[in-house]
Amino acid sequence: VLSGYYCIDTFTPINANAYLAARRSVDCALTAAREILDGRRIAYALIRPPGHHAERRSFGGFCYFNNNAIAAQYLCPHGKVAIIDVDYHHGNGGQDIFYRRKDVLTVSIHGHPRFAYPYFCGFEEERGEGEGEGFNLNIPLSESVDGDRYRKALTVGLRRIEEFKPQFLIVGLGLDPAKGDPTGTWSLTTKDFLQNGRMIGALGLPMVVIQEGGYRTQTLGRNALAFFRGIAEGARQWADSRHATTQRVHGVSLRETLVAEDARRVRQLVEITGFFGPEEVDVAEELVNEHLNRKDASGYHFIMADHYGRLAGYACFGPIPCTSSSYDLYWIAVHPDYQGRGLGRRLLIEAERRIKTAGGTRIYVDTSQRVQYASTRAFYENNGYRLETVLKDFYAQGDGKATYCKSLI
Ligand SMILES: [Zn+2]
């Protein structure tokens, strides 16, 4: 009975399993957030119970812990986070939790509290307080809303997010704006979810999608699928337009000390580039572990490029045994989100600088002769590397090894 004091309704019971289930939801949300830091572009926490109605001092609306706010808090030390709540019901929890903060922007599009749960908040004039003033945006809509009307609201919300320039986006994905949802009054179709996804994907932000409401079981799967298909299309559009402009990456920091989780992150990064086979991926991870275990004695040195908590790229090099001052450059890998933006060149220049400081006079780098490595070869040639030798059929029949060299003196 006492729990009623903290609960905003009568349909969010605390029974023997409530904590266990709610805790599992949080775990999934945090895992999804970690996947983003590990280099994924999008991670989806498909969870029950949902979380967006859970506030600092109260819970309700089937929500116990605020999964999306917890994920946002987890990402916060690495950069600004925007939460967009597209559930039919107001994201009162996120609003309450971040109301006085300016490092997390909360945006919610929902049925007007005049007629929709949670009734007591979600009004336009709730804009944040103190430092957080202007960092909460409520877009309450009327009882009947179709796809067109919804997209107008979404455009306003996304514009605010672009203006905020976050490093991470969290989407509170409610599927209850769907036509026929028993808890809602709107009429969004599967096509509309596709278009909403496109608009959100076109932001080009690393994204954690957290499942919130959605109760019309006949269309849930279809609508979710359409939404994610849209996100993928939007993200592709964004990537194409970005390649056309090739803006430089800002805010990258370089370091040479490795930490334990770099093994996992390097593996992830090398995999995501889609450029290396499974054995090469294993080797990439192994080299990190070698360095972690034996430090410089391993013969492998690293330069890691971090961008707001994510590994954007790295270089690995080391002295060639039995030579006086020759070095091998083993890897330069750049995450697809950062390719074509000058990061590979920056890693190369930094590796050369460190090799020179250590007394190195020559750098060697091997690449395959296959067509798909043409851009890699061009990259080295453009940076002053000269083709030294070609070993025919080295990797496989018809796939030779091209060795490039640059003299540092
Ligand atoms: Zn809802």
Side-chain angles (χ1 to χ4, degrees):
V1 174
L2 289 175
S3 71
Y5 182 81
Y6 299 98
C7 192
I8 56 177
D9 53 50
T10 55
F11 43 81
T12 313
I14 293 188
N15 59 24
N17 293 321
Y19 172 78
L20 292 172
R23 175 58 206 264
R24 287 291 161 89
S25 275
V26 170
D27 288 346
C28 284
L30 286 172
T31 302
R34 201 190 74 180
E35 287 284 318
I36 293 306
L37 290 181
D38 282 354
R40 301 239 187 246
R41 291 190 173 122
I42 174 163
Y44 177 28
L46 176 49
I47 49 181
R48 280 284 178 268
H52 75 145
H53 293 307
E55 301 186 353
R56 282 174 298 174
R57 292 189 189 78
S58 58
F59 67 100
F62 319 134
C63 302
Y64 300 89
F65 299 130
N66 197 315
N67 307 307
N68 74 46
I70 292 168
Q73 181 68 18
Y74 180 81
L75 292 171
C76 268
H78 305 287
K80 293 196 290 182
V81 183
I83 301 176
I84 182 150
D85 190 313
V86 295
D87 190 279
Y88 173 85
H89 306 95
H90 175 227
N92 58 299
Q95 166 171 318
D96 170 69
I97 290 165
F98 297 113
Y99 208 57
R100 294 179 149 272
R101 283 170 56 169
K102 61 174 185 187
D103 58 332
V104 178
L105 171 73
T106 43
V107 175
S108 179
I109 303 167
H110 49 264
H112 200 284
R114 190 172 62 231
F115 59 83
Y117 185 90
Y119 307 109
F120 299 104
C121 59
F123 299 91
E124 240 163 340
E125 58 268 30
E126 297 157 11
R127 300 183 60 252
E129 257 172 32
E131 260 204 345
E133 196 176 340
F135 294 91
N136 182 71
L137 174 62
N138 284 332
I139 309 178
L141 301 178
S142 62
E143 238 168 314
S144 65
V145 165
D146 63 4
D148 278 340
R149 175 69 192 93
Y150 191 87
R151 278 186 290 282
K152 284 199 183 98
L154 188 57
T155 303
V156 173
L158 296 181
R159 206 172 291 148
R160 176 69 187 97
I161 289 173
E162 280 183 312
E163 194 183 275
F164 178 65
K165 295 194 174 65
Q167 294 302 328
F168 306 100
L169 180 68
I170 293 189
V171 181
L173 174 60
L175 293 164
D176 42 13
K179 189 174 167 66
D181 190 282
T183 71
T185 58
W186 296 345
S187 56
L188 269 62
T189 64
T190 303
K191 245 190 192 153
D192 294 320
F193 282 98
L194 179 84
Q195 293 201 42
N196 294 348
R198 258 187 215 144
M199 290 168 69
I200 293 172
L203 289 177
L205 288 166
M207 195 185 302
V208 184
V209 181
I210 310 250
Q211 187 62 52
E212 300 294 350
Y215 309 95
R216 188 166 189 267
T217 50
Q218 297 97 311
T219 52
L220 279 180
R222 219 184 303 151
N223 290 342
L225 180 65
F227 181 77
F228 283 101
R229 194 167 279 158
I231 282 186
E233 287 176 14
R236 216 170 299 132
Q237 256 170 34
W238 171 81
D240 291 347
S241 67
R242 195 208 65 202
H243 279 303
T245 58
T246 59
Q247 1 159 281
R248 281 184 69 82
V249 212
H250 295 286
V252 168
S253 59
L254 302 182
R255 64 181 158 93
E256 36 188 332
T257 312
L258 297 184
V259 294
E261 54 195 28
D262 283 327
R264 198 184 66 237
R265 288 193 177 169
V266 159
R267 183 181 187 85
Q268 195 92 260
L269 173 83
V270 169
E271 249 170 24
I272 287 171
T273 61
F275 214 66
F276 303 99
E279 283 161 31
E280 291 170 300
V281 173
D282 287 344
V283 171
E285 186 181 1
E286 227 172 270
L287 298 189
V288 175
N289 284 324
E290 274 284 300
H291 181 95
L292 284 169
N293 291 332
R294 302 176 52 217
K295 300 289 178 294
D296 285 355
S298 66
Y300 302 115
H301 303 271
F302 285 83
I303 300 164
M304 314 297 280
D306 293 318
H307 189 245
Y308 295 98
R310 299 173 91 205
L311 183 62
Y314 81 101
C316 174
F317 60 91
I320 302 176
C322 308
T323 67
S324 61
S325 56
S326 294
Y327 276 70
D328 227 333
L329 184 61
Y330 299 109
W331 298 80
I332 287 188
V334 174
H335 190 291
D337 283 358
Y338 302 95
Q339 280 172 14
R341 302 169 71 186
L343 185 58
R345 192 176 147 75
R346 206 173 142 190
L347 284 165
L348 183 64
I349 288 169
E350 187 60 17
E352 289 173 358
R353 196 181 68 77
R354 300 225 170 139
I355 289 170
K356 211 170 168 176
T357 308
T361 55
R362 281 159 177 284
I363 305 176
Y364 290 91
V365 55
D366 297 334
T367 70
S368 153
Q369 278 203 298
R370 266 182 293 162
V371 184
Q372 67 182 99
Y373 287 89
S375 61
T376 310
R377 293 193 298 269
F379 171 71
Y380 288 113
E381 283 163 16
N382 291 338
N383 285 288
Y385 285 74
R386 220 184 52 225
L387 182 63
E388 200 84 343
T389 54
V390 175
L391 297 178
K392 277 189 176 173
D393 303 325
F394 180 84
Y395 296 109
Q397 186 69 28
D399 180 11
K401 176 162 94 170
T403 301
Y404 286 84
C405 178
K406 182 173 184 173
S407 168
L408 296 178
I409 37 176

